[in-house]
């Protein structure tokens, strides 16, 4: 069946009103486009678990900092549309920034604490931008469930906290990281890597696997695991560590002792490209 393309909030509302009238359950997959198999896994799960699925494709300007890659962020809406259609989603929302943000747009959703470490500390305002657009998408879609990848683990924790705090009527479904054959986590930003950088980028997963093995074998010191991960990454000449952190998986506060569910998250520059990856260890 052909997917419906909507361009404005008003068009989305019209489709949703019809779905609601028919009593359909609705799944939402928020994306910034340039879709890969990671996004594909979210869409597939949403199609399995809901009567109707809306996918948003929107490079959200308010979650990019002034020196970040908003202008160069990869875009290919035709390819995205083909993939979304082939996976059986029902509606794609692809607005212009001006359709999402009026010139006097004045509201920001800000989640304290959980959004302040890791990427939040390096990308000021990033999670405010994410939470604001995600709230708009939740409101527009009236979805029962929304699907987020674990690669952006802090984003998942922040969105979960926001939904809990605001009693939003939506279930957040976290989905596993999808990797290339050599272990690199799929990301739209992998396209920035030269072939030499692409090879070097495998160091992120290699380092995380070594760290995860230590934790699985019973290592309790976060510092010991962190140092091992840093050591492996620092041996790759094209890699520059932005952060290696071990935090509580719920609060995203750093921990000294690995006890309870933890997030081990890393951000590494490979050349000029900043890549993130992580593992979660749940007891
Ligand atoms: O993860 C992303 O691609 C974005 O942060 C999201 C959730 C689509 C909001 O713009």
């Amino acid at each position: 069946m052909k997917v419906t393309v909507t361009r404005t909030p008003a068009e989305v509302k019209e489709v949703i009103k019809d779905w609601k009238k028919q009593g359909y359950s609705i799944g939402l997959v928020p994306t910034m486009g340039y879709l890969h198999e990671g996004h594909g896994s979210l869409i597939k799960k949403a199609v399995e678990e809901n009567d109707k699925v809306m996918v948003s494709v929107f490079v959200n300007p308010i979650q990019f900092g002034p020196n970040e890659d908003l202008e160069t962020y990869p875009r290919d809406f035709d390819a995205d549309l083909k993939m979304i259609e082939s996976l059986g989603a029902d509606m794609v929302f692809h607005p212009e920034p001006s359709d999402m943000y009026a010139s006097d747009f004045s509201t920001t959703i800000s989640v304290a604490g959980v959004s302040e470490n890791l990427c939040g500390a390096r990308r000021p305002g990033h999670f405010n931008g994410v939470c604001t657009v995600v709230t708009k998408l939740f409101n527009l879609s009236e979805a029962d469930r929304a699907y987020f990848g674990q690669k952006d683990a802090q984003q998942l924790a922040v969105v979960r906290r926001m939904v809990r705090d605001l009693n939003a009527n939506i279930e957040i479904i976290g989905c596993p990281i999808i990797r290339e054959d050599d272990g690199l986590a799929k990301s739209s930003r992998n396209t920035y890597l030269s072939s030499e950088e692409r090879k070097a980028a495998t160091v992120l997963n290699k380092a995380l696997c070594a760290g995860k093995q230590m934790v699985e074998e019973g290592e309790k010191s976060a510092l010991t695991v962190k140092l091992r991960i840093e050591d492996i990454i620092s041996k790759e000449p094209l890699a520059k560590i932005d952060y290696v952190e071990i935090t509580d998986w719920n609060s995203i506060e750093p921990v000294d002792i690995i006890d309870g569910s933890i997030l081990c998250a890393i951000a590494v520059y490979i050349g000029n490209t900043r890549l993130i990856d992580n593992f979660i260890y749940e007891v």
Side-chain angles (χ1 to χ4, degrees), residues 15-32:
V15 175
I16 298 295
K17 199 167 140 197
D18 180 52
W19 288 355
K20 285 277 167 188
K21 207 161 68 193
Q22 321 246 10
Y24 291 139
S25 62
I26 300 173
L28 168 71
V29 183
T31 83
M32 297 207 301

Side-chain angles (χ1 to χ4, degrees), residues 173-194:
I173 316 278
C175 300
I177 299 176
I178 305 294
R179 298 182 180 279
E180 303 286 355
D181 290 343
D182 63 6
L184 178 66
K186 298 225 180 214
S187 164
S188 308
R189 289 189 169 100
N190 291 349
T191 182
Y192 297 148
L193 301 168
S194 69

Side-chain angles (χ1 to χ4, degrees), residues 3-6 12 15-16 19 53-55 84 89-93:
V3 67
T4 303
V5 179
T6 54
V12 173
V15 175
I16 298 295
W19 288 355
V53 171
M54 164 175 160
V55 180
I84 292 165
D90 303 276
M91 190 233 291
V92 183
F93 178 40

Side-chain angles (χ1 to χ4, degrees), residues 30-32 39 58 60 63 73 126 130 133-134 148 152 155:
T31 83
M32 297 207 301
H39 299 109
F58 178 57
N60 175 35
Q63 71 186 72
Y73 195 84
H126 170 68
V130 169
V133 80
V134 159
F148 290 85
D152 295 292
Q155 170 172 280

Side-chain angles (χ1 to χ4, degrees), residues 72-83:
T72 54
Y73 195 84
R75 293 159 168 90
D76 187 348
F77 185 63
D78 290 343
D80 291 344
L81 194 54
K82 274 197 196 115
M83 178 167 163

Side-chain angles (χ1 to χ4, degrees), residues 242-281:
D242 186 13
Y243 66 73
V244 173
E245 294 290 351
I246 300 183
T247 74
D248 180 84
W249 171 219
N250 177 48
S251 68
I252 315 294
E253 295 288 347
V255 297
D256 294 330
I257 304 296
I258 299 173
D259 176 28
S261 297
I262 56 113
L263 165 68
C264 176
I266 65 178
V268 177
Y269 284 94
I270 302 288
N272 292 324
T273 303
R274 184 175 177 278
L275 299 176
I276 58 171
D277 201 348
N278 67 79
F279 71 84
I280 290 164
Y281 181 77

